[in-house]
Amino acid sequence: MNTHSHVLESIQGIVGKYCKKHNSHLAITLINKLQCSYVCIQIKPEQLITEIETFIIPALKSTQHCFVLIVEATLKGISIHYKVDDKDQINTLDINGHISTKEPIKLLLSDDQNIDVLTGSEALFKSCLRISSEINGRYGLQFKLFDSVARGSVQLEDLRYLNEDALLEKFHGSSLETHLKLCSIEQLSNFNKEDRLSKKVIAWPFFDTDLMTVLSTVRFQTRLSILVADDSLPSQIATKVMLEMLGCSVTCAENGESALILAQNESFDLLLLDERMPGMYGSDVAQQLTKQNSPNNTTPKVILTGLTCDEQIAELFDKGITHYLQKPVTKAVLEKFIKPWQAA
């Protein structure tokens, strides 16, 4: 039976562990030329980690200023290359095994998008410039030191040097909603899983594909505001996390009555309503809002249900539902569904 190992996560963990142990602030750049943000190879994890550690740890120890790692595909598996400081020599490790990929990189930004780097670390900025030189042709991104005069750029804010309390306070500050938060790998343990998934966070050392994945959810227009009503907490949280990963602002209601009150008082771009909720069904909420002069009487009302009978679904539309998604809903389905509203 084949064992799958996460290539990028393994490399990142090894480099991050080394940096933490040695309190290293080297300019480390990791460039993924596989053009996928999730890459597996059919090899045992312990074997992959051992081979990578044996290959790069001695090189890290000899590095004085900057260390560059490049990962790319070969006919037999993957190759990992590194360069140390300003030396021209390139060292290569070939690892054989079938590659399986997931989540290809998709970038929604304009071709001339700048990224402002808010940092006092020269090493970090040098690494960003090195990434920029490697990926600009593919993604059209330019890193630059923060310019307070500039408007409309993404801002990559360096939070690696904050203590735990200051980090959490700044992390949840509303002023950082449009920023990318750059944290060290060990700092991420301060956040719960939902925060790590829903916020725009990059762990350092990071890959260009980590950056691409996060940037693919960044929008410069107002984010879609979505109300999610579901009495099942696991289902509610899962839907919320998926939508936030797709760049939406999400408000949750635990039942139909709460959803109705929220929708009567606050305007949303979309209403996602579970049908079978205690007390008031999702279609009942839609029916009430359609009849009332509420902020959401014309807002698209999407029913989430396991019903598949055409007659039952038709009854939902008669009550004011405008769209239908079958449960359980996946991120891919949500991404395709909300795309027209995001584009608008």
Side-chain angles (χ1 to χ4, degrees):
M1 181 177 181
N2 289 319
T3 302
H4 292 266
S5 298
H6 301 278
V7 176
L8 300 180
E9 290 181 9
S10 297
I11 298 174
Q12 187 174 32
I14 291 167
V15 175
K17 182 179 178 181
Y18 175 88
C19 291
K20 179 181 179 181
K21 181 179 179 180
H22 297 277
N23 193 27
S24 172
H25 298 293
L26 297 171
I28 299 176
T29 305
L30 300 100
I31 298 168
N32 169 27
K33 290 193 172 181
L34 297 169
Q35 299 197 24
C36 283
S37 56
Y38 179 103
V39 184
C40 282
I41 187 168
Q42 290 182 348
I43 184 175
K44 292 181 178 179
E46 56 270 23
Q47 180 184 345
L48 178 69
I49 291 171
T50 299
E51 289 191 35
I52 295 174
E53 283 184 334
T54 303
F55 178 59
I56 69 173
I57 295 300
L60 281 169
K61 290 179 179 179
S62 69
T63 302
Q64 295 182 347
H65 305 292
C66 62
F67 184 78
V68 180
L69 269 172
I70 301 172
V71 184
E72 60 184 1
T74 66
L75 293 175
K76 295 183 178 180
I78 62 168
S79 281
I80 304 174
H81 315 283
Y82 73 73
K83 294 171 62 177
V84 174
D85 297 324
D86 296 325
K87 299 175 183 178
D88 294 330
Q89 181 180 353
I90 298 177
N91 299 275
T92 300
L93 170 67
D94 292 317
I95 300 178
N96 296 336
H98 177 71
I99 297 176
S100 57
T101 60
K102 181 181 177 182
E103 301 293 341
I105 303 164
K106 293 179 290 185
L107 197 62
L108 305 178
L109 303 178
S110 60
D111 290 339
D112 57 352
Q113 182 58 53
N114 287 323
I115 301 177
D116 289 333
V117 182
L118 287 71
T119 183
S121 169
E122 184 179 357
L124 169 64
F125 188 62
K126 284 183 177 179
S127 285
C128 288
L129 290 178
R130 191 176 293 275
I131 291 176
S132 181
S133 67
E134 291 281 348
I135 68 176
N136 183 260
R138 285 186 283 160
Y139 307 117
L141 296 176
Q142 295 280 358
F143 290 89
K144 62 188 183 69
L145 285 174
F146 177 64
D147 179 1
S148 59
V149 178
R151 294 290 183 270
S153 294
V154 175
Q155 295 178 354
L156 176 64
E157 177 132 4
D158 188 359
L159 305 181
R160 293 173 298 153
Y161 304 107
L162 297 180
N163 62 37
E164 182 176 346
D165 292 338
L167 176 68
L168 291 174
E169 181 180 353
K170 190 136 188 172
F171 185 86
H172 292 289
S174 58
S175 64
L176 286 185
E177 278 302 307
T178 58
H179 290 196
L180 309 181
K181 293 88 167 174
L182 180 61
C183 301
S184 62
I185 289 177
E186 62 269 20
Q187 281 175 310
L188 293 185
S189 62
N190 295 324
F191 307 127
N192 59 41
K193 184 176 181 181
E194 184 178 349
D195 277 337
R196 291 198 300 270
L197 289 174
S198 65
K199 300 292 182 178
K200 302 178 181 72
V201 183
I202 301 176
W204 177 262
F206 66 88
F207 303 96
D208 61 332
T209 40
D210 291 332
L211 187 63
M212 297 306 108
T213 301
V214 175
L215 286 174
S216 69
T217 68
V218 176
R219 293 282 179 169
F220 301 105
Q221 64 271 30
T222 303
R223 294 191 300 166
L224 279 183
S225 176
I226 300 180
L227 173 63
V228 173
D230 197 326
D231 64 299
S232 167
L233 186 58
S235 178
Q236 179 194 119
I237 291 176
T239 304
K240 179 178 187 290
V241 168
M242 288 187 291
L243 287 170
E244 287 183 334
M245 291 178 72
L246 294 170
C248 302
S249 174
V250 182
T251 301
C252 289
E254 68 277 7
N255 54 51
E257 289 88 346
S258 298
L260 181 60
I261 293 171
L262 283 167
Q264 286 171 331
N265 294 281
E266 183 179 347
S267 178
F268 295 95
D269 296 310
L270 291 173
L271 306 179
L272 266 59
L273 308 168
D274 180 38
E275 171 60 1
R276 295 290 173 86
M277 292 185 288
M280 180 179 287
Y281 283 7
S283 56
D284 295 327
V285 175
Q287 189 175 46
Q288 291 285 335
L289 292 173
T290 302
K291 292 178 178 179
Q292 299 171 0
N293 185 24
S294 72
N296 295 286
N297 60 330
T298 60
T299 301
K301 300 168 182 67
V302 186
I303 203 71
L304 302 176
T305 180
L307 296 175
T308 57
C309 174
D310 290 342
E311 291 183 2
Q312 291 176 308
I313 294 173
E315 291 176 3
L316 300 179
F317 280 84
D318 289 340
K319 293 175 70 174
I321 292 300
T322 60
H323 299 78
Y324 160 79
L325 288 176
Q326 188 172 346
K327 295 182 72 173
V329 66
T330 65
K331 183 184 174 186
V333 169
L334 284 174
E335 182 175 15
K336 182 178 180 180
F337 180 77
I338 68 174
K339 194 170 183 179
W341 285 281
Q342 286 183 318

